[in-house]
Structure formats: C-alpha cells, structure tokens
Amino acid sequence: MTENPPARGTAGPVRQVRPRTEGWKQQKDAAGRPLLQFASPKRGKPPVHLADLTAEERAAKVTELGLPAFRAKQLETHYFRHYTSDPGEMTDLPASVRDDLVAGLLPPLLTEVRRLQTDRGDTIKFLWKLHDGALVESVLMRYPGRITLCVSSQAGCGMNCPFCATGQAGLTRNMSAAEIIDQIVRANRLIREGGLGKAEHPDERVTNIVFMGMGEPLANYARVMQAVRVMIDPQRGLGMSARGITVSTVGLVPAIRKLSAEEIPVTFALSLHAPDDHLRDELIPVNSKWKVDEALDAAREYFDKTGRRVSIEYALIKDMNDHAWRADLLAEKLNARGRGWVHVNPIPLNPTPGSVWTASERSVQNEFVRRLNAAGIPTTLRDTRGKEIDGACGQLVATEADVAAAASN
C-alpha cells in the first residue's frame, strides 16, 4: 500500500507497509487490541540463590545452615571471581560442609541445551533450560577490546511486537536476579576456559552487558535491578562498571522514571522504531499506553538526572519505518528536547522465521543516517552480530527444535 507522508524533502507517493504478523497470530485482548502482559504468569519459583540475596541475607542464610557467616564471603569469591559452583573446586572450605553450602546457596539454575557458534568464532549463542523447563537464550560477542553479553531477563516477552520473534509466544515468566547473573558467570567460565578463542589478556571476562535478549527488562524491574546491583558490586559481586551495562525498554514510562532515580549510571536505551504515533501504535503495542513524546520526555529526564547520554534504538524495516521524512521527524523531536543528550543506533532488521519484513536497502539506510547526522544527531548504524545463528537482535526465540532438544537434555 502507499500513502502520502508529510512533505519532508520527498516528492510524490511513498510506499508505506503497515505492520502485521507473518507466520504467527498476534495475541489480542477482548477489545481486539494487541495483548500486553506486564505481570508474570504464576509458575514455580526458581530456588533461592546467592545472587538473589543481599550481603546481609547471604550471611543469615549461612548461619541458618549452622556455619559461620564468613563462609558466605568465601562462596561469593568462588562464584563471582572463579565462576564456579563446583564444591570440589572450593578447597578453602572444609570438605564436610562444601556440599551443604553449595546446595543451600548455589543451586543449579541454567542447564545448557545447545551452543551455536559463528564460523569466525567471535559470537556464541546459548540456549538455556531453567528449572521449570522454560527456555531462554543469551549471546556472547567478542569485539576488539571488549566482550559483550546480551542477556535475557524474561522467558518470552509480553510486549507483543509483530516484527520480533521473541514476542510471538508471549510471556512465560520473569527470570530471577540469579538466573540473569548466572548467564554472565557461565559466559565468564567459558571465556576463562578458552571457549571464545585466544584471550587478549589473562583476566579476560565479560565487560559489557546489554539487556537486549529475551524479555522487556523494565517489566521485570525489581529482579533486573537486583541483578544490576550484583553486577556492579566491587566487593560482593562481579565488580563490573555500570557504564558498561545497557538497560533497554520499548517505553514503559513509569519504570524509566524509576530507573532515573536509582543513581546507578547504566546506559539507557529506548527502542523507538518509529517517531510518529500513527505507525508506532501498530509497531510497538505499548505505545497505546505511553506515546512517543511521553517516552522521549522520560528518556530526556534520564539524561538530566544521570548525565548519561541516552541511546535510541531504531530497527530499519524496508518501506515501513525507513522513510527519509521519518528520519527528519525523529531529528526534529530529539532536537526539540535539546542537544547532546542522545545518540541514535539504527539497526537493519534481522529476519525472523515466517516473516516477510526485511532490512532496508543499503542506500536507504545510509540516507536515514545521513539526515540524522546532518541535523546534529550523532547516529551510528549498528554492527549486527549472530544473524547466521539466529542470535541477532529480535531473533531470540525458542523454536520447536529447541524444545525437542531441551526435552532430551
């Protein structure tokens, strides 16, 4: 179909594709609107783990087991520094208490079902089975000078965006803080063992976290923030830099404002994908609750309170949201809120099974980026990793083959 967009440097009709699902049926509510799931379905909770607890709670748990509180610190060292839950490796603990301590504070959380690696060996996608059989994925990527892990925060997703594979099955449940952390610990263990190739230095580990795997992080706010606190704790956690952690959202405005007040300088990313409500209402169903301008106002507030530049994520979809006039409109809206507070990351759409939507043509991508940069908006086309192993943005979903593999695991 075609429509005549506002005249922003383009002449004549412009092809306009409307969002709709391909190969799957979008869940709808009683009024026929795309179903949004903010609350996690009730399922059996994962076992309580060291990473779910504060330092005080860890000590209390150890004393409940009849052991001195300082044993908690020893466990923290093994798990957060040596990346192990194996009692056999904890030789500084009395042999008589190792098994009880590990069972009580380091229960198994993730079972590796499958591991896919790109030919170059710099990207690995993990398929994990949780204690209740739910499946999640994470993606490990080596770049020059850094290693990034894309983590999942929910099994499935309740935001129901038609172009994203993860949202097709809806929300299975929220993940616990420890299930989020364990993705990092397991990745660090693999790096230490040489699974990501030759190390650049002896203490190589994950340096950057992006909450861009399965799930909407801000819909699982409390557990995600507990995980972030463990990540950045230099004494009792992983000791990572908050600036290397990116929390992404499709636009849950109240939660964005809550994040602004945390005083934890993580990088904040808003998955916008359209600057106009007319398209974004269809493309990002949560836009029916909080409109583009509300989400951008909250993003600007995050910058004002933290001083951290905000990232705008924008999946470029051919003939849907990649029009030159939309680049101009996006620049106009961002500049209306000031200069120097935002950076735009256009991302060529990653194809998903059963979908006819494709990435924008290279010339269109370049023009979109050019217009934003010309308007004074720093813009960088993102390097996508893992497409050949279905590990790129928007491709993380448990397939029938994954379910079958997990059942036999």
Side-chain angles (χ1 to χ4, degrees):
M1 100 180 244
T2 61
E3 70 176 20
N4 290 305
R8 295 176 180 273
T10 59
V14 174
R15 179 170 170 77
Q16 175 66 68
V17 174
R18 308 308 309 181
R20 58 186 174 88
T21 59
E22 292 290 329
W24 62 285
K25 188 175 181 179
Q26 192 177 40
Q27 297 183 61
K28 303 287 182 73
D29 63 17
R33 296 176 299 237
L35 181 66
L36 293 168
Q37 295 174 270
F38 293 100
S40 176
K42 292 189 176 181
R43 293 169 65 106
K45 291 183 179 181
V48 176
H49 186 280
L50 184 82
D52 292 312
L53 306 174
T54 65
E56 295 75 15
E57 290 169 338
R58 294 169 191 170
K61 182 73 172 175
V62 167
T63 56
E64 283 177 20
L65 297 172
L67 299 168
F70 73 86
R71 298 293 185 198
K73 288 188 177 181
Q74 291 177 295
L75 277 183
E76 290 165 357
T77 299
H78 286 295
Y79 185 67
F80 295 127
R81 296 286 184 267
H82 304 314
Y83 317 126
T84 185
S85 299
D86 182 357
E89 296 182 21
M90 302 178 186
T91 54
D92 59 337
L93 293 171
S96 60
V97 304
R98 290 178 202 166
D99 289 342
D100 287 343
L101 268 175
V102 169
L105 280 163
L106 297 175
L109 298 174
L110 306 179
T111 300
E112 185 177 339
V113 175
R114 180 179 289 161
R115 184 187 303 181
L116 298 176
Q117 192 160 3
T118 56
D119 290 340
R120 290 186 302 176
D122 57 6
T123 302
I124 298 174
K125 182 175 78 166
F126 302 93
L127 174 66
W128 307 106
K129 182 167 69 173
L130 308 182
H131 81 101
D132 56 355
L135 300 176
V136 299
E137 293 180 320
S138 49
V139 183
L140 184 65
M141 297 160 282
R142 178 191 288 282
Y143 296 91
R146 75 183 194 276
I147 296 177
T148 297
L149 182 67
C150 176
V151 298
S152 291
S153 55
Q154 296 178 311
C157 183
M159 297 298 101
N160 209 359
C161 301
F163 65 95
C164 179
T166 311
Q168 294 181 17
L171 176 62
T172 300
R173 70 167 172 88
N174 286 332
M175 295 176 68
S176 69
E179 287 172 330
I180 295 169
I181 291 294
D182 207 38
Q183 295 171 75
I184 307 170
V185 171
R186 299 286 290 271
N188 281 340
R189 179 78 180 193
L190 175 138
I191 294 165
R192 179 164 291 184
E193 293 173 349
L196 198 60
K198 185 178 178 181
E200 294 182 0
H201 56 83
D203 193 32
E204 195 170 54
R205 60 177 181 153
V206 172
T207 56
N208 294 69
I209 297 293
V210 289
F211 279 91
M212 296 180 183
M214 288 182 172
E216 162 54 54
L218 295 190
N220 187 20
Y221 189 90
R223 295 166 192 84
V224 164
M225 292 313 302
Q226 166 65 10
V228 168
R229 291 185 185 96
V230 171
M231 290 176 202
I232 65 175
D233 190 327
Q235 303 298 327
R236 314 295 293 269
L238 288 166
M240 301 181 71
S241 167
R243 295 174 182 270
I245 299 168
T246 299
V247 178
S248 175
T249 180
V250 292
L252 279 63
V253 167
I256 297 172
R257 295 201 168 110
K258 194 174 178 181
L259 183 66
S260 299
E262 291 283 354
E263 298 185 351
I264 300 176
V266 297
T267 298
F268 171 67
L270 174 63
S271 295
L272 193 67
H273 307 313
D276 54 306
D277 288 322
H278 184 62
L279 176 60
R280 198 170 192 265
D281 281 347
E282 300 176 63
L283 196 59
I284 310 290
V286 81
N287 204 69
S288 63
K289 294 183 72 69
W290 300 289
K291 298 300 185 182
V292 169
D293 285 333
E294 292 176 272
L296 290 177
D297 285 344
R300 171 67 207 211
E301 182 180 315
Y302 185 85
F303 170 79
D304 289 339
K305 288 192 174 180
T306 66
R308 298 284 292 142
R309 190 170 66 165
V310 170
S311 292
I312 300 293
E313 308 294 317
Y314 198 106
L316 286 169
I317 308 173
K318 184 178 180 180
D319 295 331
M320 186 182 293
N321 67 348
D322 60 353
H323 308 98
W325 71 266
R326 283 196 163 96
D328 293 341
L329 178 59
L330 177 59
E332 181 182 301
K333 284 179 175 282
L334 297 178
N335 281 332
R337 290 165 172 83
R339 298 291 183 120
W341 69 278
V342 71
H343 181 274
V344 177
N345 281 320
I347 312 162
L349 181 77
N350 297 303
T352 60
S355 177
V356 300
W357 314 129
T358 59
S360 305
E361 295 175 2
R362 181 57 63 91
S363 61
V364 175
Q365 294 175 18
N366 292 342
E367 177 63 10
F368 199 94
V369 171
R370 186 195 71 77
R371 284 176 177 254
L372 285 164
N373 278 318
I377 305 293
T379 304
T380 308
L381 194 69
R382 183 189 285 181
D383 170 31
T384 58
R385 286 283 192 91
K387 282 192 284 189
E388 65 266 46
I389 55 174
D390 291 334
C393 293
Q395 291 187 314
L396 302 187
V397 62
T399 65
E400 291 183 8
D402 290 337
V403 172
S408 62
N409 193 284

Short mmCIF file of all heavy atoms in Angstrom, two decimals, residues 337-379:
data_model
loop_
_atom_site.label_atom_id
_atom_site.label_comp_id
_atom_site.label_asym_id
_atom_site.label_seq_id
_atom_site.Cartn_x
_atom_site.Cartn_y
_atom_site.Cartn_z
N ARG A 337 14.19 18.63 22.30
CA ARG A 337 14.47 18.36 23.72
C ARG A 337 15.91 18.70 24.09
O ARG A 337 16.38 18.33 25.15
CB ARG A 337 14.15 16.90 24.03
CG ARG A 337 12.64 16.63 23.99
CD ARG A 337 12.30 15.14 23.93
NE ARG A 337 10.86 14.97 24.07
CZ ARG A 337 9.97 15.07 23.07
NH1 ARG A 337 10.41 15.35 21.84
NH2 ARG A 337 8.68 14.92 23.30
N GLY A 338 16.61 19.39 23.18
CA GLY A 338 17.96 19.83 23.48
C GLY A 338 19.00 19.12 22.63
O GLY A 338 18.68 18.22 21.84
N ARG A 339 20.22 19.50 22.80
CA ARG A 339 21.34 18.92 22.06
C ARG A 339 22.27 18.18 23.02
O ARG A 339 22.37 18.50 24.19
CB ARG A 339 22.13 20.01 21.33
CG ARG A 339 21.33 20.78 20.27
CD ARG A 339 21.00 19.91 19.07
NE ARG A 339 20.30 20.67 18.03
CZ ARG A 339 20.76 20.84 16.79
NH1 ARG A 339 21.93 20.31 16.44
NH2 ARG A 339 20.06 21.51 15.92
N GLY A 340 22.96 17.17 22.49
CA GLY A 340 24.00 16.48 23.24
C GLY A 340 23.52 15.44 24.23
O GLY A 340 24.32 14.89 24.98
N TRP A 341 22.23 15.12 24.21
CA TRP A 341 21.71 14.20 25.23
C TRP A 341 21.42 12.80 24.68
O TRP A 341 21.10 11.90 25.44
CB TRP A 341 20.43 14.75 25.85
CG TRP A 341 19.23 14.78 24.92
CD1 TRP A 341 18.95 15.73 23.99
CD2 TRP A 341 18.17 13.82 24.85
NE1 TRP A 341 17.78 15.43 23.33
CE2 TRP A 341 17.29 14.27 23.83
CE3 TRP A 341 17.89 12.64 25.53
CZ2 TRP A 341 16.13 13.57 23.48
CZ3 TRP A 341 16.74 11.94 25.18
CH2 TRP A 341 15.87 12.40 24.17
N VAL A 342 21.59 12.62 23.37
CA VAL A 342 21.09 11.40 22.76
C VAL A 342 21.98 10.95 21.62
O VAL A 342 22.68 11.74 21.00
CB VAL A 342 19.63 11.63 22.27
CG1 VAL A 342 19.60 12.53 21.04
CG2 VAL A 342 18.91 10.31 22.00
N HIS A 343 21.96 9.64 21.39
CA HIS A 343 22.66 9.02 20.26
C HIS A 343 21.70 8.02 19.63
O HIS A 343 20.99 7.31 20.34
CB HIS A 343 23.93 8.31 20.75
CG HIS A 343 24.72 7.66 19.65
ND1 HIS A 343 24.46 6.39 19.20
CD2 HIS A 343 25.77 8.09 18.93
CE1 HIS A 343 25.32 6.07 18.24
NE2 HIS A 343 26.13 7.09 18.06
N VAL A 344 21.65 7.98 18.30
CA VAL A 344 20.72 7.08 17.61
C VAL A 344 21.49 5.90 17.03
O VAL A 344 22.53 6.08 16.39
CB VAL A 344 19.94 7.81 16.51
CG1 VAL A 344 19.03 6.83 15.75
CG2 VAL A 344 19.09 8.94 17.11
N ASN A 345 20.96 4.70 17.27
CA ASN A 345 21.52 3.47 16.71
C ASN A 345 20.52 2.83 15.77
O ASN A 345 19.69 2.02 16.19
CB ASN A 345 21.84 2.46 17.83
CG ASN A 345 23.13 2.76 18.54
OD1 ASN A 345 24.11 3.14 17.92
ND2 ASN A 345 23.11 2.61 19.85
N PRO A 346 20.53 3.16 14.48
CA PRO A 346 19.70 2.40 13.55
C PRO A 346 20.26 0.99 13.39
O PRO A 346 21.47 0.78 13.38
CB PRO A 346 19.81 3.18 12.24
CG PRO A 346 20.38 4.52 12.62
CD PRO A 346 21.24 4.24 13.82
N ILE A 347 19.35 0.01 13.30
CA ILE A 347 19.74 -1.39 13.20
C ILE A 347 19.00 -2.00 12.01
O ILE A 347 17.76 -2.02 12.01
CB ILE A 347 19.35 -2.18 14.47
CG1 ILE A 347 19.79 -1.43 15.73
CG2 ILE A 347 19.92 -3.59 14.45
CD1 ILE A 347 19.07 -1.91 16.99
N PRO A 348 19.70 -2.49 10.99
CA PRO A 348 18.99 -3.18 9.91
C PRO A 348 18.21 -4.36 10.48
O PRO A 348 18.74 -5.14 11.27
CB PRO A 348 20.13 -3.66 9.00
CG PRO A 348 21.29 -2.77 9.32
CD PRO A 348 21.15 -2.44 10.78
N LEU A 349 16.93 -4.45 10.14
CA LEU A 349 16.08 -5.50 10.71
C LEU A 349 16.69 -6.87 10.47
O LEU A 349 17.14 -7.18 9.36
CB LEU A 349 14.68 -5.45 10.09
CG LEU A 349 13.72 -6.51 10.64
CD1 LEU A 349 13.21 -6.12 12.01
CD2 LEU A 349 12.56 -6.74 9.69
N ASN A 350 16.67 -7.71 11.50
CA ASN A 350 17.12 -9.09 11.36
C ASN A 350 15.92 -9.96 11.03
O ASN A 350 14.93 -9.94 11.74
CB ASN A 350 17.79 -9.56 12.65
CG ASN A 350 19.03 -8.75 12.95
OD1 ASN A 350 19.95 -8.69 12.15
ND2 ASN A 350 19.06 -8.10 14.10
N PRO A 351 15.99 -10.74 9.95
CA PRO A 351 14.83 -11.54 9.54
C PRO A 351 14.49 -12.60 10.57
O PRO A 351 15.37 -13.16 11.22
CB PRO A 351 15.27 -12.17 8.22
CG PRO A 351 16.77 -12.18 8.28
CD PRO A 351 17.15 -10.97 9.08
N THR A 352 13.20 -12.88 10.71
CA THR A 352 12.74 -13.94 11.61
C THR A 352 11.95 -14.95 10.81
O THR A 352 11.37 -14.62 9.77
CB THR A 352 11.86 -13.38 12.74
OG1 THR A 352 10.71 -12.74 12.15
CG2 THR A 352 12.61 -12.36 13.56
N PRO A 353 11.90 -16.21 11.27
CA PRO A 353 11.19 -17.24 10.52
C PRO A 353 9.73 -16.87 10.30
O PRO A 353 9.05 -16.42 11.21
CB PRO A 353 11.31 -18.48 11.42
CG PRO A 353 12.53 -18.22 12.25
CD PRO A 353 12.56 -16.74 12.47
N GLY A 354 9.26 -17.02 9.06
CA GLY A 354 7.86 -16.78 8.75
C GLY A 354 7.51 -15.33 8.49
O GLY A 354 6.34 -15.02 8.25
N SER A 355 8.49 -14.42 8.50
CA SER A 355 8.18 -13.01 8.31
C SER A 355 8.62 -12.54 6.93
O SER A 355 9.66 -12.94 6.42
CB SER A 355 8.88 -12.16 9.37
OG SER A 355 8.63 -10.79 9.14
N VAL A 356 7.80 -11.68 6.30
CA VAL A 356 8.16 -11.11 5.00
C VAL A 356 8.93 -9.81 5.18
O VAL A 356 9.44 -9.26 4.21
CB VAL A 356 6.91 -10.83 4.13
CG1 VAL A 356 6.14 -12.12 3.89
CG2 VAL A 356 6.02 -9.78 4.76
N TRP A 357 9.01 -9.27 6.39
CA TRP A 357 9.68 -7.99 6.59
C TRP A 357 11.19 -8.17 6.47
O TRP A 357 11.76 -9.14 6.95
CB TRP A 357 9.33 -7.40 7.95
CG TRP A 357 7.87 -7.46 8.28
CD1 TRP A 357 7.31 -7.93 9.43
CD2 TRP A 357 6.78 -7.06 7.45
NE1 TRP A 357 5.95 -7.84 9.37
CE2 TRP A 357 5.59 -7.32 8.16
CE3 TRP A 357 6.69 -6.51 6.17
CZ2 TRP A 357 4.33 -7.05 7.65
CZ3 TRP A 357 5.44 -6.24 5.64
CH2 TRP A 357 4.28 -6.50 6.38
N THR A 358 11.82 -7.24 5.81
CA THR A 358 13.25 -7.32 5.58
C THR A 358 13.92 -6.01 5.95
O THR A 358 13.26 -4.99 6.16
CB THR A 358 13.56 -7.65 4.11
OG1 THR A 358 13.01 -6.61 3.29
CG2 THR A 358 12.98 -8.99 3.71
N ALA A 359 15.25 -6.05 5.99
CA ALA A 359 16.01 -4.84 6.28
C ALA A 359 15.90 -3.85 5.14
O ALA A 359 15.68 -4.22 3.98
CB ALA A 359 17.47 -5.21 6.53
N SER A 360 16.06 -2.60 5.47
CA SER A 360 16.07 -1.55 4.46
C SER A 360 17.25 -1.75 3.50
O SER A 360 18.27 -2.34 3.85
CB SER A 360 16.21 -0.18 5.12
OG SER A 360 15.20 0.01 6.08
N GLU A 361 17.10 -1.24 2.28
CA GLU A 361 18.20 -1.29 1.33
C GLU A 361 19.33 -0.40 1.83
O GLU A 361 19.12 0.58 2.55
CB GLU A 361 17.71 -0.82 -0.04
CG GLU A 361 16.68 -1.77 -0.65
CD GLU A 361 16.11 -1.25 -1.95
OE1 GLU A 361 16.55 -0.17 -2.40
OE2 GLU A 361 15.22 -1.92 -2.51
N ARG A 362 20.55 -0.76 1.46
CA ARG A 362 21.72 -0.05 1.98
C ARG A 362 21.66 1.45 1.70
O ARG A 362 21.99 2.27 2.56
CB ARG A 362 23.00 -0.66 1.37
CG ARG A 362 24.29 -0.03 1.86
CD ARG A 362 24.43 -0.11 3.38
NE ARG A 362 24.50 -1.48 3.84
CZ ARG A 362 25.62 -2.16 3.99
NH1 ARG A 362 26.78 -1.59 3.72
NH2 ARG A 362 25.59 -3.40 4.43
N SER A 363 21.22 1.83 0.50
CA SER A 363 21.15 3.25 0.17
C SER A 363 20.15 3.99 1.06
O SER A 363 20.37 5.15 1.44
CB SER A 363 20.77 3.44 -1.30
OG SER A 363 19.50 2.87 -1.57
N VAL A 364 19.05 3.31 1.41
CA VAL A 364 18.03 3.90 2.27
C VAL A 364 18.58 4.03 3.70
O VAL A 364 18.37 5.05 4.37
CB VAL A 364 16.75 3.06 2.24
CG1 VAL A 364 15.71 3.59 3.24
CG2 VAL A 364 16.15 3.05 0.83
N GLN A 365 19.27 2.99 4.18
CA GLN A 365 19.91 3.06 5.49
C GLN A 365 20.85 4.24 5.56
O GLN A 365 20.84 5.03 6.53
CB GLN A 365 20.69 1.77 5.76
CG GLN A 365 19.86 0.52 5.89
CD GLN A 365 20.75 -0.72 6.03
OE1 GLN A 365 21.92 -0.62 6.36
NE2 GLN A 365 20.17 -1.89 5.77
N ASN A 366 21.68 4.38 4.53
CA ASN A 366 22.68 5.45 4.53
C ASN A 366 22.03 6.83 4.53
O ASN A 366 22.51 7.75 5.20
CB ASN A 366 23.61 5.31 3.32
CG ASN A 366 24.50 4.08 3.41
OD1 ASN A 366 24.69 3.53 4.50
ND2 ASN A 366 25.05 3.65 2.29
N GLU A 367 20.93 6.97 3.80
CA GLU A 367 20.24 8.26 3.75
C GLU A 367 19.59 8.58 5.09
O GLU A 367 19.60 9.74 5.54
CB GLU A 367 19.19 8.27 2.64
CG GLU A 367 18.35 9.53 2.53
CD GLU A 367 19.17 10.78 2.19
OE1 GLU A 367 20.37 10.67 1.85
OE2 GLU A 367 18.60 11.90 2.28
N PHE A 368 19.04 7.57 5.75
CA PHE A 368 18.44 7.75 7.06
C PHE A 368 19.48 8.26 8.04
O PHE A 368 19.27 9.23 8.77
CB PHE A 368 17.84 6.43 7.53
CG PHE A 368 16.82 6.54 8.63
CD1 PHE A 368 15.46 6.62 8.35
CD2 PHE A 368 17.21 6.54 9.96
CE1 PHE A 368 14.52 6.72 9.36
CE2 PHE A 368 16.29 6.65 10.99
CZ PHE A 368 14.93 6.73 10.68
N VAL A 369 20.64 7.61 8.03
CA VAL A 369 21.73 8.00 8.92
C VAL A 369 22.25 9.39 8.56
O VAL A 369 22.51 10.23 9.43
CB VAL A 369 22.87 6.97 8.85
CG1 VAL A 369 24.12 7.47 9.59
CG2 VAL A 369 22.42 5.63 9.44
N ARG A 370 22.38 9.66 7.27
CA ARG A 370 22.90 10.96 6.83
C ARG A 370 22.03 12.11 7.32
O ARG A 370 22.52 13.14 7.80
CB ARG A 370 22.99 10.99 5.30
CG ARG A 370 23.66 12.26 4.76
CD ARG A 370 23.42 12.44 3.28
NE ARG A 370 22.04 12.80 3.00
CZ ARG A 370 21.51 14.02 3.19
NH1 ARG A 370 22.25 15.00 3.70
NH2 ARG A 370 20.24 14.26 2.90
N ARG A 371 20.71 11.94 7.20
CA ARG A 371 19.79 13.01 7.60
C ARG A 371 19.87 13.30 9.10
O ARG A 371 19.83 14.46 9.52
CB ARG A 371 18.36 12.65 7.20
CG ARG A 371 18.09 12.81 5.70
CD ARG A 371 16.70 12.37 5.30
NE ARG A 371 16.50 12.61 3.89
CZ ARG A 371 15.74 13.60 3.37
NH1 ARG A 371 15.12 14.43 4.18
NH2 ARG A 371 15.62 13.74 2.07
N LEU A 372 19.97 12.24 9.89
CA LEU A 372 20.08 12.44 11.34
C LEU A 372 21.38 13.15 11.70
O LEU A 372 21.40 14.10 12.49
CB LEU A 372 19.97 11.10 12.06
CG LEU A 372 18.56 10.51 12.13
CD1 LEU A 372 18.61 9.04 12.50
CD2 LEU A 372 17.71 11.27 13.15
N ASN A 373 22.48 12.70 11.12
CA ASN A 373 23.77 13.34 11.40
C ASN A 373 23.77 14.79 10.92
O ASN A 373 24.30 15.68 11.61
CB ASN A 373 24.90 12.55 10.72
CG ASN A 373 25.35 11.35 11.54
OD1 ASN A 373 25.47 11.43 12.75
ND2 ASN A 373 25.60 10.24 10.87
N ALA A 374 23.16 15.05 9.77
CA ALA A 374 23.11 16.41 9.24
C ALA A 374 22.30 17.33 10.15
O ALA A 374 22.56 18.55 10.20
CB ALA A 374 22.50 16.40 7.84
N ALA A 375 21.35 16.75 10.88
CA ALA A 375 20.54 17.54 11.81
C ALA A 375 21.22 17.69 13.17
O ALA A 375 20.64 18.26 14.10
CB ALA A 375 19.18 16.88 11.99
N GLY A 376 22.43 17.17 13.29
CA GLY A 376 23.17 17.32 14.54
C GLY A 376 22.93 16.22 15.56
O GLY A 376 23.31 16.36 16.72
N ILE A 377 22.30 15.13 15.11
CA ILE A 377 22.06 13.98 15.99
C ILE A 377 23.13 12.93 15.74
O ILE A 377 23.17 12.33 14.65
CB ILE A 377 20.67 13.35 15.74
CG1 ILE A 377 19.55 14.39 15.86
CG2 ILE A 377 20.45 12.19 16.69
CD1 ILE A 377 19.35 14.94 17.24
N PRO A 378 24.04 12.66 16.69
CA PRO A 378 25.04 11.61 16.48
C PRO A 378 24.35 10.28 16.20
O PRO A 378 23.52 9.82 16.99
CB PRO A 378 25.81 11.58 17.80
CG PRO A 378 25.55 12.90 18.44
CD PRO A 378 24.18 13.30 18.01
N THR A 379 24.69 9.67 15.08
CA THR A 379 23.99 8.46 14.62
C THR A 379 25.00 7.47 14.07
O THR A 379 25.86 7.84 13.26
CB THR A 379 22.95 8.81 13.54
OG1 THR A 379 22.04 9.79 14.04
CG2 THR A 379 22.18 7.58 13.09
#
